[in-house]
Amino acid sequence: MKKTLKRIWQWIDDRSGLSEMLHPLLQHKVPRGLKWNYVFGSATLFCFILQIVTGSALALMYQPSSDKAFASLQYITQQAVLGRWLRGIHYFGASAMMLLAGIHMLRVYLTAAYKYPREMSWVSGIILLLLTTVMGFTGQLLRWDDNGVWSAVVAAEQMGRVPLIGPSLARLLMGGDTLGGHTLSRFYTYHVFMVPGLLILFLGFHLWLVVRNGISEPPKAGRPVDPKTYRTWYRNALRSEGIAFWPYVAWRDVVFSVAVLLLVVLLAAVAGPPPLRKPPDPSIVYTQPQPDWYLLWIYALFALMPPEVESYAMFFGPLIALFLLFALPFLSNKGERSPLKRPWAVAGSIAVIVLIGALLLAGSRAGWSPAFKQRTLPPAVAASAGPDVKAGKVLFEQKGCLYCHRIGDKGGIVGPDLTHAGSRLSTTEMHIRILNGSTGMPAYGRLLRHREMQQLIAFLQSRQ
Ligand code: HEC
């Protein structure tokens, strides 16, 4: 038996050259001293493979058409064998992949592993991070419930504000001027064919570079990178004290990836897939999306920006940030690598982490999504007032104004505080605002009768 297996393997190996191909990958020498902080890249790769497997399985049952998508997901979640697990693992796998890619990037930045000769690894890594973000964004719409759809609408609207090319960009993204079945097919194509294809391409390149240039050695203070001598130095260091990647280094990668897998499966079991809320309904005016957490901070950033700077920030902000990210290894490709000698890099990293954390916190607070639980104002608000003001108060609660506006210490903070609306706004101003709505505020023109509008305004005018 053993002999037969061996002969089969020899036949395959002789004809295909498999071991010739794998041997250098597994046996290549790597620097000594690679510890647990070197496991995040391989774990990101592992998550990507997990996403391909679970994604393919989901695609077998998912129907990318606007009238069937929501129902097919309900079927997957409630009836299909292991369907709930698949969705849960795919969701938490995506979260893990984003998180691990971020940590991997942070590790590379802090240890300055992007310096000579690994500039291209950094650049391809940024492209991989962007593509991964696009995967998260497009996947969210495929859920085709109000949350996923409105998150895409908000993003498209923001994109539409980019000077000059904005409208064309938004149309390209959505597959037309409006959101509908065509948008869904388009996002499905992005999510299942185009972006994964690009991911695999750049990932192959990224890994090839790791093999070609070698894994960066752990940095040491007082040992700067000099492009003139680095390669010779690295080759000699590997020759004298390098160790084989498999199994002396790779075992940590394996252990960590298995731990990630267990955690993802555990979360999928305990927390389950993201709930399918309800199918998108354009007539529900107060819907506000709550994008998935790894996108939430980007939405929160734009939501918190004052509207005047927004269209410029929308355009130049990401452009400058991307430019700086891509330029980093070209601006500094030599010198010290140790974080001990690069205090600004450490300070900068901490600042970015704190900023993203604060934005996530802000995004998950009521300010971003309306306070749907807020149903009534205390009776004292209109206690000693006339009938119109009293009726206006009830309308203010019933029509959902309270979800977004504050009166006293009750209500949401999506829109301006209306506690003292009467002393700030004239009757006409109020009429115009409520009738037409604006960014973030639905137009109530067709949803209120003339009498109701008068009562609402009477109520607001009484807020002095
Ligand atoms: C989905 C959230 C949302 C709901 C629901 C909502 N609003 Fe607004 N509202 C806003 C936002 C956001 C603004 C600010 C718009 C801007 O600055 O362009 C605003 C602005 C206003 C203003 C102008 C305030 C000012 O200081 O300029 C008034 C008045 C107003 N809303 C009244 C109402 C009333 C009355 C209702 C209920 C019939 C209501 N809103 C429902 C989000 C909302």
Side-chain angles (χ1 to χ4, degrees):
M1 183 62 190
K2 208 169 157 203
K3 234 172 159 186
T4 328
L5 280 180
K6 196 165 176 197
R7 280 183 53 199
I8 293 178
W9 165 244
Q10 275 170 347
W11 189 95
I12 293 177
D13 197 31
D14 177 61
R15 307 311 193 267
S16 67
L18 265 184
S19 64
E20 252 167 78
M21 189 171 79
L22 290 178
H23 198 258
L25 285 183
L26 293 174
Q27 295 302 307
H28 76 280
K29 292 256 178 103
V30 299
R32 218 170 258 280
L34 305 178
K35 290 282 177 324
W36 287 99
N37 55 352
Y38 276 74
V39 296
F40 301 112
S42 63
T44 313
L45 171 62
F46 175 78
C47 286
F48 180 53
I49 296 170
L50 187 66
Q51 292 305 90
I52 294 182
V53 173
T54 51
S56 307
L58 285 171
L60 290 176
M61 294 175 280
Y62 178 76
Q63 305 192 34
S65 82
S66 58
D67 55 340
K68 300 221 181 73
F70 187 77
S72 73
L73 276 174
Q74 272 181 326
Y75 169 79
I76 292 175
T77 315
Q78 287 153 16
Q79 285 162 20
V81 180
L82 291 180
R84 213 183 97 88
W85 287 84
L86 274 179
R87 276 197 63 219
I89 297 176
H90 200 66
Y91 173 73
F92 286 106
S95 295
M97 188 171 163
M98 287 301 289
L99 194 67
L100 289 166
I103 299 178
H104 174 56
M105 181 176 161
L106 196 68
R107 195 279 293 165
V108 167
Y109 178 67
L110 282 174
T111 58
Y114 54 80
K115 294 197 174 184
Y116 180 88
R118 302 188 179 83
E119 297 97 328
M120 295 277 254
S121 299
W122 175 266
V123 171
S124 55
I126 300 289
I127 296 175
L128 286 172
L129 186 71
L130 289 178
L131 291 171
T132 311
T133 314
V134 175
M135 285 305 277
F137 172 66
T138 50
Q140 187 177 264
L141 181 118
L142 297 188
R143 225 175 284 148
W144 207 245
D145 62 349
D146 59 351
N147 217 348
V149 168
W150 291 112
S151 297
V153 171
V154 170
E157 269 177 8
Q158 289 183 337
M159 205 177 253
R161 277 192 257 161
V162 170
L164 293 176
I165 51 168
S168 318
L169 272 184
R171 219 169 299 133
L172 180 74
L173 178 78
M174 312 264 282
D177 289 320
T178 54
L179 187 120
H182 48 280
T183 319
L184 183 56
S185 345
R186 198 159 271 216
F187 270 60
Y188 186 71
T189 311
Y190 296 147
H191 191 81
V192 175
F193 300 108
M194 285 166 63
V195 186
L198 288 171
L199 263 171
I200 291 173
L201 195 71
F202 280 96
L203 190 64
F205 183 55
H206 199 68
L207 293 177
W208 153 250
L209 289 177
V210 173
V211 175
R212 184 187 130 87
N213 294 325
I215 296 181
S216 69
E217 75 285 358
K220 205 155 105 190
R223 192 179 61 200
V225 173
D226 179 357
K228 287 199 199 70
T229 55
Y230 181 81
R231 282 207 195 268
T232 326
W233 175 86
Y234 185 81
R235 214 175 301 125
N236 288 338
L238 280 196
R239 204 170 295 141
S240 61
E241 51 177 313
I243 43 178
F245 176 65
W246 181 264
Y248 303 111
V249 174
W251 71 267
R252 284 198 187 83
D253 297 288
V254 175
V255 169
F256 187 70
S257 289
V258 170
V260 169
L261 176 67
L262 290 179
L263 187 69
V264 165
V265 172
L266 186 76
L267 281 169
V270 176
L276 297 166
R277 300 207 305 182
K278 36 183 167 358
D281 176 358
S283 68
I284 299 177
V285 283
Y286 51 73
T287 306
Q288 278 273 348
Q290 177 87 27
D292 291 342
W293 71 266
Y294 43 84
L295 300 170
L296 185 63
W297 66 276
I298 306 176
Y299 282 73
L301 182 68
F302 290 121
L304 292 175
M305 236 179 255
E308 311 84 63
V309 302
E310 214 170 325
S311 14
Y312 293 98
M314 277 298 309
F315 184 59
F316 292 110
L319 215 61
I320 295 173
L322 270 183
F323 178 77
L324 285 179
L325 276 177
F326 278 120
L328 174 73
F330 303 100
L331 296 176
S332 89
N333 78 335
K334 51 175 182 278
E336 285 287 350
R337 280 190 48 207
S338 164
L340 297 173
K341 295 271 181 180
R342 295 161 54 242
W344 284 110
V346 179
S349 307
I350 295 176
V352 169
I353 294 173
V354 170
L355 180 72
I356 292 182
L359 284 171
L360 279 176
L361 204 68
S364 60
R365 287 258 172 85
W368 171 239
S369 52
F372 284 127
K373 289 198 194 77
Q374 196 67 50
R375 300 227 183 277
T376 52
L377 285 165
V381 166
S384 56
D388 270 9
V389 173
K390 280 211 170 72
K393 168 189 174 277
V394 175
L395 282 170
F396 196 81
E397 296 160 356
Q398 283 175 353
K399 299 289 173 186
C401 317
L402 199 56
Y403 292 148
C404 297
H405 292 288
R406 257 180 157 191
I407 301 273
D409 60 352
K410 292 273 183 311
I413 51 173
V414 177
D417 189 323
L418 295 178
T419 314
H420 306 292
S423 58
R424 283 194 294 117
L425 301 165
S426 70
T427 309
T428 327
E429 276 173 326
M430 284 186 184
H431 200 99
I432 292 172
R433 301 308 292 270
I434 302 171
L435 202 64
N436 302 311
S438 56
T439 345
M441 157 118 179
Y444 276 89
R446 278 179 301 150
L447 303 169
L448 291 171
R449 268 173 280 142
H450 181 63
R451 184 86 193 100
E452 292 176 324
M453 180 69 95
Q454 279 179 337
Q455 291 168 333
L456 260 177
I457 292 179
F459 169 67
L460 288 179
Q461 282 298 336
S462 74
R463 303 294 101 203
Q464 289 296 328

